[in-house]
Amino acid sequence: MAKQIEGVYERILECAKKEFLEKGYSDASLRTIAAEADTSTNSIYVRFQDKEGLFAAIVEPAAAAFKEQFCKVQETFHAFDPETQRREVGKYSADEMLNLVDYMYDHFDAFRLLLDASYGTKFQHFVDELVSIEEAYTWKWMEVTGVGSEFSDTMTRELYHMMVTAYYEGVFETVRHGMSRENAKKYISLMGKYHHAGFMAIAEK
């Protein structure tokens, strides 16, 4: 097996990130990436198998770590006793979301790619997957705390899906619009209060 030239792997990743950010996954060209990285398309196939493999090498570590942290936040909270869960849900969610925002901004380009350049890859449903996780744990929280019994027929699964989707799309708008970390935290904190207040307003009917 031929020895791989040192530094080529890193150059390919850097040039691929630039190409994917500019054109999106579907329109990105491996030939352009190879030329920019001063290598051949064959060297890309050898290292990454195909274009999606190259895209995954850039975004998958950040996506997987974010999702793992996201699920850990949910599991930690649902290990609390029901009374604590009911009392602390708003504050806990707000605090942990800001920690997730820090992770997102520490890997800003990877999240730009996940959100706006992943169509045509297995990552295109990243936000939908987070919404599904949030929905599952919310219904679990409602059952454990008894809050579910307080809801009127107004709060259906369809309505909650719409609410959570709107919330997470709002969270990620901070990346799409290139907001600073400081502004992102400010706006997401306010949006969390808005979302939680609306949720509890329905719950208390």
Side-chain angles (χ1 to χ4, degrees), residues 42-171:
N42 184 62
S43 71
I44 295 177
Y45 288 118
V46 167
R47 290 170 172 82
F48 302 99
Q49 294 189 323
D50 54 23
K51 186 163 74 168
E52 185 163 359
L54 176 55
F55 188 85
I58 301 170
V59 305
E60 191 158 32
F66 186 93
K67 193 180 294 184
E68 180 180 0
Q69 187 175 343
F70 183 77
C71 290
K72 184 177 180 180
V73 166
Q74 301 280 3
E75 284 294 327
T76 299
F77 179 73
H78 287 281
F80 297 156
D81 64 84
E83 180 56 35
T84 301
Q85 287 190 39
R86 182 162 183 157
R87 184 181 65 249
E88 299 294 333
V89 60
K91 184 178 186 306
Y92 181 90
S93 298
D95 291 345
E96 293 300 332
M97 177 52 71
L98 294 183
N99 290 333
L100 289 168
V101 170
D102 272 329
Y103 184 86
M104 187 168 67
Y105 271 74
D106 287 342
H107 303 82
F108 194 78
D109 283 345
F111 278 88
R112 287 177 63 199
L113 289 169
L114 278 169
L115 297 169
D116 290 330
S118 62
Y119 183 78
T121 76
K122 65 181 180 179
F123 302 100
Q124 70 182 56
H125 300 298
F126 176 72
V127 178
D128 294 332
E129 291 170 3
L130 297 181
V131 167
S132 294
I133 293 168
E134 180 75 22
E135 287 179 282
Y137 277 102
T138 297
W139 295 113
K140 179 179 177 181
W141 172 79
M142 288 166 58
E143 181 179 354
V144 167
T145 61
V147 171
S149 63
E150 300 172 17
F151 277 82
S152 70
D153 293 337
T154 306
M155 177 56 78
T156 63
R157 288 183 180 270
E158 289 81 6
L159 175 59
Y160 188 66
H161 175 77
M162 293 167 65
M163 291 169 60
V164 176
T165 300
Y167 173 72
Y168 280 103
E169 288 292 348
V171 167

